[in-house]
Every structure is written in structure tokens, then in C-alpha cells.
Amino acid sequence: MIVINGTPHDTEITDPRRSLLDHLREDVGLHGPKKGCDQGGCGACTVLVDGRRVLACLTLAAQAEGRSVTTVEGVGRDGGLDPLQEAFIEHDGFQCGYCTPGQVCSAIGMADEVARGVPSRVSPEIGAASFDLSPDEIRERMSGNLCRCGAYNGIVAAIEETYLDGPR
Amino acid sequence: MNADPIVGRAVPRRDGPAKVSGAASFTAEVPVEGLAHAALVCSTVAAGEITGIDLTEARSAPGVVAVMTHHNAPAIRIAPLLITLRGASFTRAPVMQDARIRWNGQPVAIVVAETPEQADHAASLVRVGYAPAEGRLVFDDLKVGAPQPDHVQGEAPAVLRGDAEAALRTAAARVDQVYRTPWHTHCAIELHATTVAWHDERSLTMWDATQAVTHSQATLAEVFDLDPEDIRVVSQFVGGAFGNKMMWSHQILCAAAARLARRPVRLVLSRSDVFRVTGGRTRTEQRVALGARANGTLTALVHEATTTTGINDGFAEQCTFPARVLYGADSFGIDQRVVELHTPANSSMRAPGESVGSFALECALDELAEQLDVDPLDVRAGLEPAAHPTTGKPFSGRHLLEAYRLGAERFGWARRSSTPRSRRDGPWWIGHGVATATYPYTRMPGGRASVTLSADGCATVRTAAHEMGMGTATVQAQYAADHLGLPLDRVRFEYGDSRHPAAVPAGGSAQTVSIIASVVAAARALTAELLHLAAPDSPLAGAGAGADDVEMRDGGLHPRDGGPGESYAAILRRAGRAELAAEGAASPPTETAQHAMHSYGVQFCEVRVHDVTGEVRVSRWLGVFDTGRIINPRTAASQFRGAIVMGIGSALTEETIFDERTGRVLNASLAEYHVPVHADIPPIDVAWLGHPDPMAPMGGKGVGEVGMVGVAAAVANAVHNATGRRIRDLPITPDKVLGL
Ligand code: FES
Ligand code: FES
């Protein structure tokens, strides 16, 4: 059983080799998580597992057993979009939109890491309780999510605006 | 026309909510009943023959449905090249028709199985024997005496005016250097995906991640000898393409395998397949020689470029095009050569030709400016020609000097130090560079669109084109709303399906204006239909009006002379019609016959170069563009920025590495081919002049490619300004900066 976007799913994992990414896309029918490389190189498949961002292409579906998985389809609120998603639209943080679900999930996971005091290479002080989400921090921490359309400026602006008052 | 135009407004993307919520459906996600999955087996040698293929293990692997090789592939004819406008291929290589190997990565078998995992596993069990032959692989050996291509994108391979070499010899100042750029790969984040379902022996539907819907349909018809009417190609959202998502062998093989398997089949290329099965951008070697007087005017401009193609392909990368149009000179010596190699075909990659060609030309100008001790921007301004320097045609609109002025002011160019290696911030050397950008305006013939009015007063515009991030759906709805005189929310735009009227491929920054020209034609036809329908008791009837006597505004037709008009809804209601449709074909693109039409721009950059590690960081950017009227500032700015980002990648990190012994791509993954990431990209400032081009439909010129042109040169020039090192060989990696 995997809890996906708040709902328990008993969907059969048809092949032991099946990645969490293929399980979500092919078996569960959630196409938000994207496949850009299937080898951990692009971040398009980023989902949240128990609130932490992971690459679904490098995670076996079987590893998610008993855990809670959130995909981009599950980040919205009250049937609408999350403010982060709205900010992506407002700042034109995408063009083709293929990397976008991964960017959105990654940003949510990243904001939580910042709130928990997980440092990055550019953090001023290791061991601080939490960090400001400066554009430099955002760029550093989001660098596992490639955007070949080059929408980076818009993505950073959207994240910065959304978490201006700290991660929620 | 709308009194308060929607064109020019920063309207948010129509597909935004779908794209940020995961609801936008890409090709690999289309649900198809009874689907089987395919995987490719690709050659591991670059040239030679297949001596045998052992399928015993693969055939008996779990889940395998069919295996196709050249032994059981159907007859497949040669795919028409994109340049012919009859197809969408970059190569004339036969697709799985013989035992011959033409490049390392050529598909030699396709395996179809119940699941993707089973297909991948079975593909790993296919044993292929090769008799390798000596391949054409070493560029440096083969470039000597390389032949001229028949043409370079339809233009002459050489342009000779006067005796440039003689002028060079006697010039007061002279730069004569060789510049090199490596192979590049597009690396759209969406993997190429295609799904094919045959309905019977002669008709099929293909869902494909393509930037050429209509031309893919035409290609399939040609290669399988089918009627285009019996082929449907669907491509709605495309996850990035940049010139690479045209017709390659994998779509053809997927279709052939689906026929063999008698099942719908989906093929998603692996990331390494994308690098090896499809083609990227050629490497280039370019000599630029400039002869100048002491005042900076040019007596000679020489640009000689050698590029590569695959075996028997046709695409000579137009690196010398900027040198043909940008600057005045007394004499020109322009020449292009092509080396055929056992590599994948050369394909169009964002700003093909101009992006890498401008690296050579714009670096050489910087070197000349240094020699003359004149500001590089002033050198360029002093070379501004009155008419196209090599064809003599008048420019339709060219405002480069204004862009230079505006850019210099906005960037603070005057504060740049003209002495290299003179500014430092801790361990970082700081430098500034500039380069000019240009990209030709094109409008491909053959585009069509339809406009359908419904009784509720809404309009639906349809064309076969797709959406790959340029904002097509948004900007076309904006344009159509203005043209039809409707509010934006009353215009729908349907696209991405060959059942809609034919579209031109997205290429050459030409699609937007091509669709606009088609919509203009369709609206004109619609006007005639409406007048025909307008009953005798309609206010329009008395006007005796022809299409030229009325205008489309305020949701209806109105006589130009100010008499009473009637709404579309009222005309339809009176006539008892639920809807009214008309289709139109874009006028032939005659505007370029008399005028030289180009987009222009200027790129300013600041870099920081680490004294110890040689690392280059781009810290500031400004691009100023002269691309005619901008339909949507929001999506246009994103296109400019995205192109600059790709240019920064080409400047600093991007290189597809072929092993010259085996012809194999060595870095066929996103871990080893380094596209820019968030941390590489500073805030990018973009601005545009917005002067409508008097010759272009709606005054718009292409914005998608010009943004990449000049970027690598601006970076290289800034690195020189920062460190005093001239790097003429992309990418500018730390070893080169340190002179190792
Ligand atoms: S698909 Fe998982 S990182 Fe690229
Ligand atoms: S929006 Fe296209 S890859 Fe990011």
C-alpha cells in the first residue's frame, strides 16, 4: 500500500524492476511526475516521499511501500492551485512545462529543508536553525532541477515570492 | 481590430494552470488500448556491415511480442529532407533496410514487449555481429580540401566580392584567427516519444513529440507509400525541442514495428538514445580575417567555415550568415565547406549557424577593436551598412545603432575598463564583453488555418501546429482576438493535430508569423462568407459591401464608412446557422524578395573569473533586441532569456564528445553533458525596441533564436577583458582559462 496524494493505493507493482516513477505514471495513471532521463540527471521526476524530495526514477516502487507520496497533482489546496503554482504562472517560470512538476515539488521539499536548518554550499552559517531563502540559496538548492527552456529566472522569482515570509 | 489591442499585452500563458498542475498531457502519456512498448538496439560501431543478428535469447525473453531487424522490416522509402518542405528529416539514410552501418548509434533492431522493462531487457539480449570498416571520423584529417555543399540553406556556399585576401595583406590593422566550436546536443528535457496505432493496413495515428506535425504526416506518407489523408499525427504539448524534434528513424521504426506486432506500440528513447540516435549541432572550424583602416572601417571581411554532416545528409550549418549581413566592408571572402563523417546527421539546433558563426565573427571584431584601441561597440557602430552588404537589398527595418545606444546606457557599458585584467574582487577577475546578434526573418510557405464562428459569438482558430513553450496558443489567441474584433476569452485556439489545417514546422523562428498570415487569410475568407450570409434585411446588406469595405470589430462586421454593422452572432442567428467556418492559406512569403529582413540584437555580459581555479561565472546579462512588434512581452521575454541561457551553456560547458576512434558519443547523459543549471544563471535583463517591421505580417519578426546569437562571443570577450586571455575554442573551460 502506498498513500498517494492522501489516498491509499493498492495498485499492484507489476514488475519488481518498476521504478516509483513508472509505477506512478504507468500503473496509477499520474502523469505529473515526468521522465527526462530515468537516471537521476534532470530532476523532472521529483516527488515528495514523506515530505522529502526524491527522484522517483531512482526509487523502486517497492521502496515506497507504506509511505506517503505527493506528486504535483497533490500539492494544490482546496481543489485549487498552491500559491507556488500560481507564482510560477505569474512569473512565467516555465515554457514547455515539462520540467515544471519537478521544479514545483522540488521547491516545496527545498523550502522544508531550509526550515529544518539543512545547510547548502552557499549557506552563511552551518548549524543555524534555518536560513533565509535568498536567490543564491534558491539557485544553489534547485540546481538538481534542469530547465532546458531556460526559465530559471522566473522559477527563482516564483519561489522567492512564495516563501518570502518563510516556508509554510 | 480591437480599439484597445490585446496584442502587446503581457497575457499569462493559457496553458499555465495545466502545466503547473501536471494536467498537460505529453506524448508518452496518451492512453491507448492494448499498448505494447518498444526499445531500440543501436550499433556500437560507426561504419561497416552487420554480419549477423542472433535473436534467439531476445525472442524467448518474457513478454516479447516482436523483434524487427533489417531482415524483416517492411520496405521503407527514403524520408524527405526538411529543407525540401516535403518532409521533416535531416538525413537521407535508409531506415533499417540494409546491413550497412553509417554511424555509431544507428538503430539495428527494435524490440516490442508487453512492458518497457521487458523491452529493455530483451533488447539487451540481442546479439549483433559487425564487420567494422574504417570510418570517416577524424575531422582534422578530413577537413583539408573539404568540398563546398551545393547550397547553404538555399543560399550560395560562397560569396566573393573583390579580392579580400589582397586587401588583407595591405590592411593597416589585421586580425586573422581560427575559431572552433564543438558538437552540441539539444537536450530537451522531454525524451523523444512516439506512439503508433494502425487502424488497418493503410491508415494510422501517430502521437509524437514533434515540432513539425504536418511535415511528419507527409514524411510517413512518403516512407510507407500511404495517402497523407490516412495518416493522423497528433502532437499537443511538446516538452522542448529546439530544432531536434523532427522526423528521425525512431518514429518510422515505431510505426513499422507496430504494423509487425499488430498492436499499438510506444517508443520512448532513452537519454543516451537521444544523444546517439538523433543528431545535434555540428562542430565548426572557422577562420575569420578582418582587414581594417586605422579608423576601423573594413577593407576585407573573410569568413571561411567548415562544418560536418552525417554520411549523405544535407544540412550545411549556415555559420557564415552573420558575416553576410552585419557589417559593411570593401571586400568579402565568404566560403563554406562540409565534411561528411560517420556521425548522426547534423540537425538544426536553436539559431543554427548564427549562434556558432557569430562566436567567430564577434570575437574577431573584439580582437580588432583591441588592436585599434577603439571601444568594441564603436567599431561595430562604425561598420553599420546602409543596405545589405552582400546582396545590396534595402533593409526592411534595422535599428541596431539604437539597440547599441540603449544597451550601453542600460548596462553601464561606459564604466567598463578597456584594459584587460585590470579589475578584481578578491580572487575574482571581472570583465565585460559585448557582441551583436542577428537572425534572418523567414516565413515558410504552406501554412493554413481555419476560423470558425459559433452562434454564441465565439471564434475557434485551428491549425496543425503544436505548443513547445513558445506560447503559441496564447499569442495566437491574442492576435486572432484583435484581428476578429473579439475579447480574448471569446477566442479558442486548437492545435497540434494534422486534422487541422496544415501548419509549417516550428523552425527558423518562423512559426508565429506564418500562423498569423494564415489567420489573416482565413479571416478574409470568413468575412466574404459572412457578407454572403447577411440576409437582405441585415444592416450590412445595403452597404453592397465587399470584404474590403467592412472591418471586423466589436464582435461583428462593420462598414468602414461608418454605417451600421451587425454582430457575428446576429448574422448567424438570422441565417439559422449554428456556426460558420472558413479556411485560408497564408499569402506567399514574397516580402523577402525585395527586402533584407532580419532580427537583430546586442548582448552585454559581465563575468567573474577565478584567479586560482579558472572558473568562469556569468554575473550580469543584458540583451537588447530589435525583433519587430512583440505580441506578448511575457512570453517573448522568456524566449529571449531561454535562448541566452542556452548560449551561456554553449559558452562555458556544453560539448558533445565523439571518440574519434569509434565514433561513439562518450558523454551521452545529462550528468556528463552539462547544460546550465539554476546556479549558473544570474538575473537576465532583456529589453526590446518594438519597432514593427513594415514588411512583416503584423510587423513581427522571430524572437526564438536571435537571443542565442552572440552570447558565446560576449562571454569570450568578457573573459578576455577579465583575464587578458583570448579563448577561441568553445567551451571556455577552466583548463583553457588557466592555459593548461
Ligand atoms: S527522470 Fe529522474 S532525474 Fe531525470
Ligand atoms: S519549461 Fe521546458 S524544460 Fe523547463
Side-chain angles (χ1 to χ4, degrees), chain B residues 139-140 143 177-185 280-288 303-308 317-320 336 341 346 349-363 646-647 649-658 660 673 708 710-713 716 727-732 736:
Chain B
F139 178 81
D140 283 333
K143 70 188 181 193
Q177 293 291 351
V178 174
Y179 302 84
R180 291 181 180 84
T181 65
W183 275 287
H184 290 144
T185 300
R281 191 202 305 277
T282 173
R283 67 183 287 174
T284 74
E285 183 165 301
Q286 307 176 59
R287 173 186 174 224
V288 176
H303 193 164
E304 297 168 346
T306 307
T307 64
T308 74
E317 184 103 359
Q318 61 270 37
C319 316
T320 60
Q336 285 208 220
L341 296 177
N346 183 41
M349 180 166 163
R350 202 165 198 165
E354 272 77 3
S355 56
V356 283
S358 68
F359 169 67
L361 179 65
E362 294 298 307
C363 285
M646 200 177 274
S650 76
L652 296 179
T653 55
E654 291 187 34
E655 173 172 17
T656 310
I657 304 166
F658 281 88
E660 291 199 324
Y673 181 98
M708 183 163 177
V711 172
I727 294 163
R728 303 185 183 90
D729 180 11
L730 293 181
I732 304 170
K736 295 175 192 168

Side-chain angles (χ1 to χ4, degrees), chain B residues 54-78:
Chain B
D54 181 356
L55 299 176
T56 326
E57 273 184 277
R59 282 219 161 103
S60 56
V64 169
V65 175
V67 185
M68 191 176 85
T69 69
H70 67 279
H71 292 299
N72 61 340
I76 297 172
R77 303 200 294 201
I78 303 291

